[in-house]
Amino acid sequence: MKKLIVFLILTFSWSFGQSNNFPLKHEDFSAFLMNYATPFHGEISADKAVIKVEIQKAVKNQGKPEQYFISGYSEVEGTKSDFSGEITFTQRFNVSNAPDEMLVFADFAMKEPGSGEHSGNFRGKVRIQTFKKITVDSRATVTFKGKWKNYPGTLDFDVWWANFVPTDISRVVFK
């Protein structure tokens, strides 16, 4: 009976801890995620307040190579808040009109510390467009788009940030 219980525990922990089918697990996207130590800029809320986001640390999970643990800060109207979270890469597509380029998509979740009205969670999608052959000198356009909700549940804003200025964020394709 003990052996059966141990077997079941190991089987379930192994199957739930498995990586997804993301094909670029051997690549390192941390430099793109940290934007080479330059903050991303975007908008949050219906008033389109400027948000600045800097991911200061992005560490690839060796057990699940499609997942990165991140930390950094966001700043809105002079209010700065630290965050930590994760990004999990999910899909890769070719760019039809640029045969040497690819689109890579991921999900992100970031939590700010604290419990006040201006502390909460970011959740959404990441889109990276870069060359298929990633080198040390590679650059990419990186866009985050999602929601920010505060912990008390009284604020819920659309948010996006990127390392370029899109003319119309609604036209940026996310998967």
Side-chain angles (χ1 to χ4, degrees):
M1 184 66 167
K2 256 187 184 178
K3 288 181 182 180
L4 177 63
I5 292 172
V6 170
F7 173 75
L8 290 173
I9 290 172
L10 290 175
T11 301
F12 281 114
S13 63
W14 181 79
S15 63
F16 287 112
Q18 286 296 302
S19 294
N20 65 21
N21 293 325
F22 182 65
L24 300 172
K25 294 177 185 175
H26 61 283
E27 297 291 353
D28 186 358
F29 293 98
S30 57
F32 296 156
L33 298 174
M34 293 186 296
N35 199 30
Y36 300 92
T38 304
F40 294 95
H41 289 83
E43 296 175 347
I44 185 169
S45 80
D47 298 335
K48 297 188 177 187
V50 173
I51 186 171
K52 180 169 81 171
V53 176
E54 184 170 349
I55 297 174
Q56 297 171 315
K57 191 174 185 180
V59 178
K60 190 174 193 172
N61 180 348
Q62 296 305 311
K64 293 173 94 175
E66 71 278 2
Q67 181 183 53
Y68 290 72
F69 298 111
I70 59 170
S71 61
Y73 71 89
S74 65
E75 185 175 339
V76 178
E77 297 177 345
T79 302
K80 197 172 181 178
S81 183
D82 293 331
F83 65 78
S84 62
E86 63 183 56
I87 295 174
T88 304
F89 287 93
T90 57
Q91 297 175 308
R92 176 211 177 273
F93 295 96
N94 293 324
V95 178
S96 59
N97 60 348
D100 293 337
E101 295 184 22
M102 65 179 166
L103 289 172
V104 181
F105 295 96
D107 297 319
F108 73 88
M110 302 168 358
K111 293 182 178 196
E112 297 172 319
S115 59
E117 184 179 41
H118 297 287
S119 296
N121 293 314
F122 292 96
R123 292 193 179 284
K125 301 285 185 182
V126 182
R127 177 189 191 265
I128 298 175
Q129 184 167 348
T130 189
F131 286 101
K132 289 178 182 177
K133 183 172 173 63
I134 298 175
T135 66
V136 185
D137 300 322
S138 292
R139 295 291 187 243
T141 58
V142 182
T143 311
F144 291 74
K145 185 177 180 182
K147 289 276 196 181
W148 177 85
K149 293 181 183 181
N150 72 346
Y151 294 126
T154 57
L155 299 172
D156 182 350
F157 297 133
D158 289 333
V159 63
W160 69 265
W161 59 87
N163 62 356
F164 68 102
V165 180
T167 54
D168 183 358
I169 191 67
S170 69
R171 297 190 67 178
V172 178
V173 176
F174 285 87
K175 293 277 183 183

